[in-house]
Amino acid sequence: MVDATPPARVATPCLPLRGLGISLPRRWAESVVTTVTLAAHSLHCCDAAEGEWRLIAQSRAQPWIARDEPPAYTIVNPDGRGRAILTCDHASPVIPRRLGTLGLEAEDRLRHIAWDIGAADVARRLALALDSPLMLAGYSRLVVDCNRSLQMDDAFAMRSEDTEIPGNVGIDTREREERANAFYWPYHDALDRLVRARAGFVPVVICIHSFTPVYRGVSRPWHVGVNYRLDRRLAVLALAGLRADPRLAVVENEPYSVSFDGDYTLPVHAERRGLPHVLFEIRQDLIGTAAGVEAWSERLAALLGPALAHPSLARPGNPAPDVREPRYENGEMP
Ligand SMILES: [Zn+2]
């Protein structure tokens, strides 16, 4: 349990933070007289100017996911018999108590750097409309990014947009493995099982993401991006459906293009098997309200319903030749 009452102030010089896999926020370390105490399993830090104690981290003795914290993943509508399997890798901004705040202010922990605002709400409604299962990741991408290969540096981002993530600076191999085992692999292993369980028809993988309207000071005018790489089959149908509405600014492979370096879910679970797929990126300000969520989930359901029955999606396509994931290549879980 997190200590409810911060310990008494003790005038202690700076502390061995790295042993906890955490770094002190730079501005505190440089400009604020900081008093720290280590008590039991929790590390508190006091901003002397504000007199405010904060929980920064908990020790390795704490579980990665406590009993009262969310699971690593949730499957919505697991028994849905529709053709789609939906995924939302960046569904949640939650950071496990063991990691404290990751050194971030509360407002930063709710910004787009931590999650895809609105995406999970759209995906939930879409899953029900398509009678299809949906995988929701349970924790923030700042803990570990479920849409990155673990080989990539930004799987544990030390900086996102222009914000440093102090709790990810200097983490060692052991902590990376522990975070992956607690949050990343449970999500992907369950998704792998879900795909393999769709016996009798070719499932279609639909990834739901959202993007910030302004990135590094540059406005993004598009309403929705339709993203794909080698297999265009479903993307072509989605683009035609969205472009039938002249009010929408629809773009291909923006604000990000799909790659095996920059993505994991779509390449590994869909491209590697030759399954039809598409990745939607919806602008966050359009789905930041209940009305926006309803409008976009209904829009996507209206175009995907007929599209999923299109004959071009009846069979698997060619597996992507460049996507390798030894963990799943034998068809059985490790
Ligand atoms: Zn995303």
Side-chain angles (χ1 to χ4, degrees):
M1 292 292 292
V2 178
D3 294 351
T5 305
R9 295 190 185 192
V10 179
T12 307
C14 263
L15 63 161
L17 288 170
R18 296 208 174 236
L20 289 167
I22 198 94
S23 297
L24 199 63
R26 179 177 295 165
R27 69 181 189 291
W28 293 355
E30 291 178 351
S31 63
V32 178
V33 178
T34 305
T35 305
V36 178
T37 183
L38 186 62
H41 301 298
S42 61
L43 173 65
H44 292 83
C45 184
C46 181
D47 182 326
E50 300 175 7
E52 178 188 358
W53 284 94
R54 300 182 196 192
L55 177 70
I56 300 300
Q58 291 186 295
S59 77
R60 294 186 190 279
Q62 296 297 299
W64 280 103
I65 300 177
R67 287 185 180 177
D68 62 338
E69 293 186 290
Y73 67 88
T74 299
I75 305 179
V76 176
N77 199 23
D79 299 322
R81 297 309 302 165
R83 285 199 61 194
I85 292 176
L86 293 105
T87 70
C88 196
D89 303 326
H90 302 142
S92 170
V94 173
I95 295 170
R97 275 205 301 278
R98 173 162 165 166
L99 290 176
T101 63
L102 282 175
L104 295 169
E105 300 286 351
E107 64 186 67
D108 283 331
R109 300 198 302 276
L110 292 176
R111 284 174 55 217
H112 71 91
I113 62 172
W115 65 312
D116 282 359
I117 296 165
D121 293 333
V122 170
R124 283 177 183 275
R125 292 182 67 106
L126 191 54
L128 296 179
L130 299 175
D131 188 26
S132 294
L134 159 66
M135 290 289 309
L136 293 170
Y139 286 83
S140 170
R141 68 169 138 227
L142 299 179
V143 176
V144 54
D145 191 334
C146 286
N147 196 32
R148 290 290 184 281
S149 165
L150 293 175
Q151 316 306 319
M152 304 304 294
D153 287 341
D154 56 355
F156 305 89
M158 291 186 284
R159 174 172 289 275
S160 182
E161 199 173 10
D162 293 322
T163 302
E164 183 177 306
I165 316 300
N168 286 348
V169 175
I171 63 171
D172 56 20
T173 302
R174 175 180 161 181
E175 176 158 348
R176 288 170 182 254
E177 288 179 1
E178 288 185 2
R179 288 197 205 180
N181 288 334
F183 305 102
Y184 182 96
W185 290 124
Y187 174 79
H188 284 294
D189 290 353
L191 179 53
D192 182 70
R193 288 193 294 270
L194 196 59
V195 173
R196 286 191 286 108
R198 310 302 275 177
F201 59 88
V202 178
V204 176
V205 177
I206 299 172
C207 307
I208 305 294
H209 292 260
S210 69
F211 64 93
T212 181
V214 179
Y215 185 75
R216 290 194 163 136
V218 178
S219 293
R220 292 157 149 182
W222 322 290
H223 293 149
V224 60
V226 175
N227 294 17
Y228 58 93
R229 192 171 67 119
L230 303 174
D231 184 339
R232 294 173 48 90
R233 288 177 291 170
L234 181 52
V236 167
L237 299 170
L239 285 164
L242 290 166
R243 285 175 171 159
D245 185 341
R247 299 169 299 174
L248 294 181
V250 183
V251 69
E252 287 179 66
N253 287 321
E254 294 284 358
Y256 313 103
S257 57
V258 175
S259 71
F260 193 29
D261 288 341
D263 297 88
Y264 183 86
T265 298
L266 191 151
V268 167
H269 296 289
E271 286 189 330
R272 186 175 57 88
R273 294 177 162 109
L275 299 180
H277 57 264
V278 71
L279 185 156
F280 290 108
E281 288 273 7
I282 309 168
R283 209 175 68 196
Q284 287 169 2
D285 58 309
L286 304 177
I287 52 175
T289 64
V293 167
E294 182 175 352
W296 275 91
S297 56
E298 288 181 359
R299 175 177 285 126
L300 294 183
L303 77 88
L304 287 170
L308 294 178
H310 195 275
S312 67
L313 307 184
R315 294 187 177 80
N318 295 322
D322 58 337
V323 179
R324 309 288 296 179
E325 179 44 271
R327 185 179 182 90
Y328 300 128
E329 280 180 2
N330 293 328
E332 297 298 328
M333 293 304 306

